[in-house]
Every structure is written in structure tokens, then in C-alpha cells.
Amino acid sequence: MYSRLTIVSIASALAVTAVCAQDKPQLTVDELVAKNVAAKGGADALRALQSVRFTGKMLVNDGQFQLAYAETKKRPDEVRTETTLQGMTAVEAYDGKEGWRISPFQGRKDPERMSADDVKPLMEDAEIDGPLVNWKEKGSTLEYVGREDVDGTSAYKIKVVRKNGDVNFVDLDPDHFLEIRILTHRVRHGAQEETETDVGDYEKIGGVFIPFSIESGRKGDPDKQKVVIEKAEANVPVDDAIFHFPTTASK
């Protein structure tokens, strides 16, 4: 049995630990962003990464269906994503001004321009760096809103309000300062929408750490789609034409 002196010593040690934890200075938004930039490889490496091409697979319906996946991004804000199954390829693309899609799985084989609401996720996907890097230039505002438990990790949480009014809550791993979860609030077609994206399995490509696992879907929905990157190429030559709306529709 512990003596009274031992119990007092333990209590005192715990009290000192608690005081030290309270006295530990909190990181500011600017410090968190700086750590995020450094964790990704640094500002110079990020600026040098002008384009990326990913190939892999997309798992949907709890993994029951597997689609071939390809995505190309090019600065400043272009992106094209292709998913292929049984010889049919769906396309979504954004050229910095407008977005468009081809949806063969819905019976639409000709390209269609996307509405302003529908193109919002593509605008965010076009970012090679994520929502925190160069946030001022993007017209966003940032606020540190405290710590949050993310599957057992006490993550740093930053609120990002974008120029178009969309809101991202970005959770940073406390040890590596890389994104592990992004919760997005936006209005689409007059309705509030919450999308939760978990990212991980970071690998260095062209001097920059990029997630090779992206799982996303509506918050609370157990059936999220998962993208697994199997190959990534940095600074590949990319023809801008692949991002633009096709001048002729397929027949």
C-alpha cells in the first residue's frame, strides 16, 4: 500500500505536469501553416511542383466495385479526373474558369458544362498544395479553433473560409503537421452539404509529400469512396487542352 508521503509526491508531480501543460504556448495560425508548409517539403519545393499525374484505383460501394483512376493537376488551378469501368470512362475537368463532365454511367456520353455549384469541389481538387498554403493569395481567412480527436489523434483544427463562402475545417496531425481530415461545408443547389475527407499514406513526389490514400463522402455516410494512388509523376508535360471543354461532342 502506498504511504501518505508517496501519494502526496505523486499528486504534486501531476499538479506540476498539469500547470506546465497549461503554460505551454499554443501555436498560432501562422505557425501552424508554416509547419504544414515545411512538412510538405518547404515553400521552394511546393513552388517547383508545377504539375502532377496520379494513377490508381477507386473503390466504391464498400469496395464491391473497383474503377481505374487517373488524375492530372496543373498550376495554377487546372484538374482532370477520369474513372474507368467496363470500357466506359467518366470525366470531370476544370480549366480555371469553367468545369465540365462526361457521365457515361448515367447514360450521358457527351460533355456537359457543370453548374457553378457543382464545380466547387473541382476547384478545391485543383489545388496541388491543399487549402492552407498561400491562403491569403486565395482570398481565404483562417482561424485556429482548438484541438479535436480524429480517430484517437488530438489534431490541430483550422477553420478556412474561402472566397466563395465555402468552409473547410482542416485537421493537422500534431506530430507531422500534415492534413489527416478535411470537413467541408458548402451550399449546393440551395441545400447545405457536409463532405468529410480523410487523407493519409503520404509519399514524397517531386520533393513534396502528397497523400496516396483519399477517402471521402458525406459526413456520417459509412459508404465513402476511396482513392488509392499507385503511381505519381511530378512535373510531367501537360497539354492545357485536356482541361478545356471539348469543341466537338463524341458521337
Side-chain angles (χ1 to χ4, degrees):
M1 182 176 294
Y2 292 116
S3 68
R4 182 177 182 279
L5 180 59
T6 301
I7 294 174
V8 170
S9 299
I10 293 173
S12 298
L14 292 173
V16 170
T17 302
V19 169
C20 290
Q22 291 174 357
D23 290 344
K24 185 177 180 180
Q26 294 293 327
L27 293 172
T28 66
V29 164
D30 288 338
E31 289 171 333
L32 287 169
V33 171
K35 287 181 176 293
N36 179 252
V37 170
K40 287 180 176 178
D44 291 342
L46 287 167
R47 280 192 295 268
L49 186 60
Q50 291 295 304
S51 67
V52 289
R53 180 180 294 144
F54 304 114
T55 53
K57 58 188 176 184
M58 175 185 286
L59 307 176
V60 297
N61 288 354
D62 202 22
Q64 295 182 47
F65 295 97
Q66 180 174 306
L67 294 81
Y69 179 86
E71 183 178 49
T72 302
K73 300 183 184 185
K74 183 179 179 181
R75 292 194 190 277
D77 48 14
E78 296 176 305
V79 63
R80 178 186 174 110
T81 300
E82 300 179 7
T83 51
T84 302
L85 179 67
Q86 295 179 350
M88 294 189 295
T89 299
V91 179
E92 288 192 345
Y94 176 66
D95 64 4
K97 295 180 180 179
E98 67 173 354
W100 58 276
R101 61 160 63 105
I102 300 174
S103 309
F105 303 121
Q106 284 76 47
R108 297 191 292 275
K109 297 182 179 180
D110 289 334
E112 304 170 308
R113 287 182 168 85
M114 299 170 69
S115 69
D117 279 356
D118 287 338
V119 82
K120 286 180 178 181
L122 274 182
M123 294 170 66
E124 294 186 15
D125 287 344
E127 296 174 340
I128 294 176
D129 308 323
L132 300 183
V133 179
N134 296 326
W135 60 273
K136 292 180 182 178
E137 290 84 345
K138 296 172 183 175
S140 301
T141 60
L142 264 60
E143 178 188 0
Y144 172 56
V145 293
R147 305 288 285 266
E148 179 179 69
D149 180 82
V150 178
D151 298 333
T153 296
S154 180
Y156 291 100
K157 192 176 192 70
I158 298 175
K159 180 181 180 181
V160 181
V161 181
R162 293 179 177 269
K163 187 167 58 175
N164 65 2
D166 289 355
V167 178
N168 302 127
F169 289 94
V170 181
D171 291 313
L172 299 180
D173 180 90
D175 297 318
H176 305 291
F177 297 95
L178 292 169
E179 292 91 340
I180 55 176
R181 175 172 291 169
I182 300 174
L183 179 65
T184 300
H185 293 190
R186 64 167 58 95
V187 176
R188 292 181 69 185
H189 308 298
Q192 289 283 345
E193 178 182 85
E194 282 187 314
T195 303
E196 190 173 71
T197 303
D198 288 341
V199 294
D201 296 336
Y202 282 83
E203 294 191 26
K204 183 175 272 191
I205 302 299
V208 174
F209 280 100
I210 291 175
F212 271 46
S213 173
I214 306 101
E215 189 170 358
S216 62
R218 292 183 183 274
K219 185 179 179 182
D221 188 346
D223 182 24
K224 294 182 171 66
Q225 67 180 30
K226 182 174 183 178
V227 171
V228 178
I229 304 301
E230 297 171 335
K231 181 182 179 181
E233 302 168 271
N235 293 320
V236 293
V238 180
D239 185 352
D240 284 338
I242 70 169
F243 305 110
H244 298 315
F245 187 83
T247 54
T248 58
S250 59
K251 300 296 183 182

